[in-house]
PDB file of all heavy atoms in Angstrom:
ATOM      1  N   LEU A 163     112.636  78.063  37.984  1.00 98.00           N
ATOM      2  CA  LEU A 163     112.478  77.258  36.805  1.00 98.00           C
ATOM      3  C   LEU A 163     113.562  77.458  35.835  1.00 98.00           C
ATOM      4  O   LEU A 163     113.962  76.544  35.125  1.00 98.00           O
ATOM      5  CB  LEU A 163     111.133  77.682  36.197  1.00 98.00           C
ATOM      6  CG  LEU A 163     109.803  77.302  36.979  1.00 98.00           C
ATOM      7  CD1 LEU A 163     108.658  77.978  36.314  1.00 98.00           C
ATOM      8  CD2 LEU A 163     109.693  75.780  37.136  1.00 98.00           C
ATOM      9  N   ALA A 164     113.991  78.781  35.820  1.00 98.00           N
ATOM     10  CA  ALA A 164     115.236  79.022  34.838  1.00 98.00           C
ATOM     11  C   ALA A 164     116.366  78.202  35.181  1.00 98.00           C
ATOM     12  O   ALA A 164     117.138  77.657  34.343  1.00 98.00           O
ATOM     13  CB  ALA A 164     115.487  80.540  34.864  1.00 98.00           C
ATOM     14  N   GLN A 165     116.692  78.103  36.571  1.00 98.00           N
ATOM     15  CA  GLN A 165     117.878  77.397  36.956  1.00 98.00           C
ATOM     16  C   GLN A 165     117.703  75.818  36.554  1.00 98.00           C
ATOM     17  O   GLN A 165     118.749  75.186  36.020  1.00 98.00           O
ATOM     18  CB  GLN A 165     118.111  77.370  38.386  1.00 98.00           C
ATOM     19  CG  GLN A 165     118.419  78.772  38.913  1.00 98.00           C
ATOM     20  CD  GLN A 165     118.516  78.756  40.452  1.00 98.00           C
ATOM     21  OE1 GLN A 165     119.398  78.055  40.938  1.00 98.00           O
ATOM     22  NE2 GLN A 165     117.802  79.554  41.052  1.00 98.00           N
ATOM     23  N   VAL A 166     116.555  75.345  36.751  1.00 98.00           N
ATOM     24  CA  VAL A 166     116.417  73.872  36.401  1.00 98.00           C
ATOM     25  C   VAL A 166     116.338  73.713  34.901  1.00 98.00           C
ATOM     26  O   VAL A 166     116.898  72.647  34.334  1.00 98.00           O
ATOM     27  CB  VAL A 166     115.028  73.368  37.002  1.00 98.00           C
ATOM     28  CG1 VAL A 166     114.813  71.892  36.672  1.00 98.00           C
ATOM     29  CG2 VAL A 166     115.085  73.609  38.504  1.00 98.00           C
ATOM     30  N   TYR A 167     115.731  74.594  34.094  1.00 98.00           N
ATOM     31  CA  TYR A 167     115.650  74.524  32.638  1.00 98.00           C
ATOM     32  C   TYR A 167     117.046  74.507  32.149  1.00 98.00           C
ATOM     33  O   TYR A 167     117.394  73.644  31.204  1.00 98.00           O
ATOM     34  CB  TYR A 167     114.971  75.734  32.085  1.00 98.00           C
ATOM     35  CG  TYR A 167     114.679  75.664  30.566  1.00 98.00           C
ATOM     36  CD1 TYR A 167     113.415  75.136  30.189  1.00 98.00           C
ATOM     37  CD2 TYR A 167     115.461  76.263  29.784  1.00 98.00           C
ATOM     38  CE1 TYR A 167     113.220  75.063  28.794  1.00 98.00           C
ATOM     39  CE2 TYR A 167     115.274  76.146  28.347  1.00 98.00           C
ATOM     40  CZ  TYR A 167     114.139  75.647  27.859  1.00 98.00           C
ATOM     41  OH  TYR A 167     113.840  75.563  26.609  1.00 98.00           O
ATOM     42  N   GLU A 168     118.045  75.272  32.633  1.00 98.00           N
ATOM     43  CA  GLU A 168     119.331  75.302  32.032  1.00 98.00           C
ATOM     44  C   GLU A 168     120.056  73.967  32.352  1.00 98.00           C
ATOM     45  O   GLU A 168     121.033  73.693  31.524  1.00 98.00           O
ATOM     46  CB  GLU A 168     120.103  76.387  32.738  1.00 98.00           C
ATOM     47  CG  GLU A 168     119.754  77.840  32.328  1.00 98.00           C
ATOM     48  CD  GLU A 168     119.992  77.942  30.808  1.00 98.00           C
ATOM     49  OE1 GLU A 168     121.165  77.600  30.320  1.00 98.00           O
ATOM     50  OE2 GLU A 168     119.124  78.444  30.139  1.00 98.00           O
ATOM     51  N   ARG A 169     119.668  73.265  33.235  1.00 98.00           N
ATOM     52  CA  ARG A 169     120.278  71.900  33.549  1.00 98.00           C
ATOM     53  C   ARG A 169     119.813  70.777  32.607  1.00 98.00           C
ATOM     54  O   ARG A 169     120.435  69.778  32.525  1.00 98.00           O
ATOM     55  CB  ARG A 169     120.033  71.607  35.068  1.00 98.00           C
ATOM     56  CG  ARG A 169     120.365  70.134  35.447  1.00 98.00           C
ATOM     57  CD  ARG A 169     121.890  69.848  35.388  1.00 98.00           C
ATOM     58  NE  ARG A 169     122.110  68.464  35.762  1.00 98.00           N
ATOM     59  CZ  ARG A 169     121.996  67.331  34.942  1.00 98.00           C
ATOM     60  NH1 ARG A 169     121.581  67.547  33.673  1.00 98.00           N
ATOM     61  NH2 ARG A 169     122.284  66.138  35.298  1.00 98.00           N
ATOM     62  N   LEU A 170     118.653  70.991  32.022  1.00 98.00           N
ATOM     63  CA  LEU A 170     118.165  69.976  31.128  1.00 98.00           C
ATOM     64  C   LEU A 170     118.902  69.541  30.042  1.00 98.00           C
ATOM     65  O   LEU A 170     119.607  70.480  29.381  1.00 98.00           O
ATOM     66  CB  LEU A 170     116.663  70.360  30.578  1.00 98.00           C
ATOM     67  CG  LEU A 170     115.619  70.526  31.619  1.00 98.00           C
ATOM     68  CD1 LEU A 170     114.333  71.051  30.981  1.00 98.00           C
ATOM     69  CD2 LEU A 170     115.314  69.243  32.399  1.00 98.00           C
ATOM     70  N   GLY A 171     119.029  68.302  29.564  1.00 97.00           N
ATOM     71  CA  GLY A 171     119.780  67.946  28.488  1.00 97.00           C
ATOM     72  C   GLY A 171     119.018  68.170  27.184  1.00 97.00           C
ATOM     73  O   GLY A 171     117.823  68.586  27.228  1.00 97.00           O
ATOM     74  N   LYS A 208     111.705  73.629  25.575  1.00 98.00           N
ATOM     75  CA  LYS A 208     111.812  72.369  26.385  1.00 98.00           C
ATOM     76  C   LYS A 208     110.943  72.499  27.581  1.00 98.00           C
ATOM     77  O   LYS A 208     110.865  71.552  28.323  1.00 98.00           O
ATOM     78  CB  LYS A 208     113.300  72.211  26.802  1.00 98.00           C
ATOM     79  CG  LYS A 208     114.239  71.749  25.692  1.00 98.00           C
ATOM     80  CD  LYS A 208     115.554  71.395  26.215  1.00 98.00           C
ATOM     81  CE  LYS A 208     116.382  72.547  26.776  1.00 98.00           C
ATOM     82  NZ  LYS A 208     117.799  72.164  27.101  1.00 98.00           N
TER      83      LYS A 208
END
Side-chain angles (χ1 to χ4, degrees):
L163 293 176
Q165 292 180 60
V166 179
Y167 187 89
E168 286 300 312
R169 170 63 182 83
L170 294 174
K208 291 187 290 187

